[in-house]
């Protein structure tokens, strides 16, 4: 009987020790702090990119909806600093290079939304997913090269935290004949 009690005490002690270790690891993972050298806005400045006023949504939706630590950003198009959208159909009106620049403009607009919603881009933990839509002719096949303009900007600004899952698909048309529209999911640091 003594051996059974001794074995029970040892098992309980081992379980508690392992539980303490798991709790310590969990606390370390959940209390991730923003690194002091992580400054996406300084990177934007170094790239000569200014964020923009996002204005109000044009219909019955919001720019971003947050659920827990995820932010779901509504699709944004290639509105430039002068307020004009880059319009046209890839494979007919615009080259791949022009489409790539349009996707980059959409990225600047999404970063502007994030800044407005969060107050600081330092609160972005990572870019999770990008859904890129390209206004293209039926025979256009370079959708990925177009949306690379968006993806490359996210990686330039956030480093490895900017790498994401992605879809780049062709559409028969987009609102206002925009060249591209991009929606995004972002993980943010807990408040």
């Amino acid at each position: 009987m003594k051996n059974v009690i001794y074995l029970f005490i040892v098992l309980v002690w081992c379980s508690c020790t392992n539980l303490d270790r798991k709790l310590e690891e969990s606390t370390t993972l959940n209390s991730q702090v923003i690194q002091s050298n992580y400054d996406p806005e300084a990177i934007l400045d170094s790239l000569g990119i200014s964020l923009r006023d996002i204005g109000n949504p044009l219909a019955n939706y919001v720019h971003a909806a947050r659920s827990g630590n995820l932010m779901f950003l509504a699709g944004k198009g290639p509105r430039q600093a002068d307020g004009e959208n880059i319009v046209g159909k890839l494979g007919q009106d615009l080259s791949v290079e022009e489409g790539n620049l349009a996707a980059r403009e959409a990225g600047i607009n999404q970063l502007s939304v994030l800044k407005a919603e969060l107050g600081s881009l330092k609160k972005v933990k990572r870019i999770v997913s990008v859904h890129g839509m390209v206004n293209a002719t039926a025979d256009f096949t370079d959708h990925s090269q177009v949306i690379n303009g968006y993806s490359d900007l996210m990686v330039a600004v956030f480093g490895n935290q900017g790498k994401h899952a992605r879809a780049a698909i062709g559409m028969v048309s987009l609102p206002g004949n925009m060249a591209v529209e991009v929606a995004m999911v972002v993980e943010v640091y807990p408040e």
Side-chain angles (χ1 to χ4, degrees):
M1 184 70 176
K2 262 183 165 177
N3 288 342
V4 171
I5 293 173
Y6 178 73
L7 180 60
F8 177 75
I9 291 171
V10 169
L11 287 174
V12 168
W13 180 80
C14 288
S15 295
C16 289
T17 303
N18 194 28
L19 180 60
D20 286 344
R21 189 176 307 122
K22 285 184 179 181
L23 284 172
E24 184 180 308
E25 289 171 4
S26 175
T27 302
T28 302
L29 291 174
N30 290 333
S31 66
Q32 291 178 355
V33 293
I34 301 168
Q35 299 171 359
S36 60
N37 63 347
Y38 178 65
D39 194 352
E41 291 173 48
I43 293 170
L44 283 171
D45 286 342
S46 73
L47 294 172
I49 296 173
S50 297
L51 297 180
R52 304 163 180 167
D53 175 31
I54 58 171
N56 294 319
L58 300 175
N60 195 16
Y61 66 92
V62 294
H63 290 299
R66 183 170 179 167
S67 179
N69 291 337
L70 292 179
M71 289 196 73
F72 298 81
L73 278 68
K76 291 289 174 237
R79 184 175 51 91
Q80 302 168 93
D82 64 6
E84 295 296 317
N85 272 318
I86 298 173
V87 296
K89 194 172 282 291
L90 275 293
Q92 176 180 305
D93 309 312
L94 301 171
S95 68
V96 170
E97 293 76 20
E98 290 168 317
N100 184 284
L101 290 173
R104 186 174 190 271
E105 291 292 331
I108 293 169
N109 294 325
Q110 289 290 36
L111 294 174
S112 299
V113 168
L114 281 173
K115 168 76 173 174
E117 293 287 327
L118 298 171
S120 171
L121 294 181
K122 286 184 176 186
K123 294 181 181 178
V124 173
K125 187 172 183 181
R126 73 166 301 170
I127 307 301
V128 176
S129 177
V130 167
H131 183 90
M133 296 161 276
V134 179
N135 184 1
T137 60
D139 59 346
F140 184 78
T141 59
D142 291 326
H143 308 86
S144 292
Q145 290 181 36
V146 169
I147 300 302
N148 281 347
Y150 190 99
S151 296
D152 292 346
L153 178 63
M154 294 303 129
V155 173
V157 173
F158 298 106
N160 282 335
Q161 293 148 276
K163 291 185 178 180
H164 48 267
R166 185 180 88 175
I169 60 174
M171 306 301 243
V172 68
S173 68
L174 287 173
N177 198 31
M178 292 186 301
V180 299
E181 183 175 359
V182 185
M184 172 167 71
V185 179
V186 176
E187 183 181 7
V188 298
Y189 285 100
E191 294 183 319

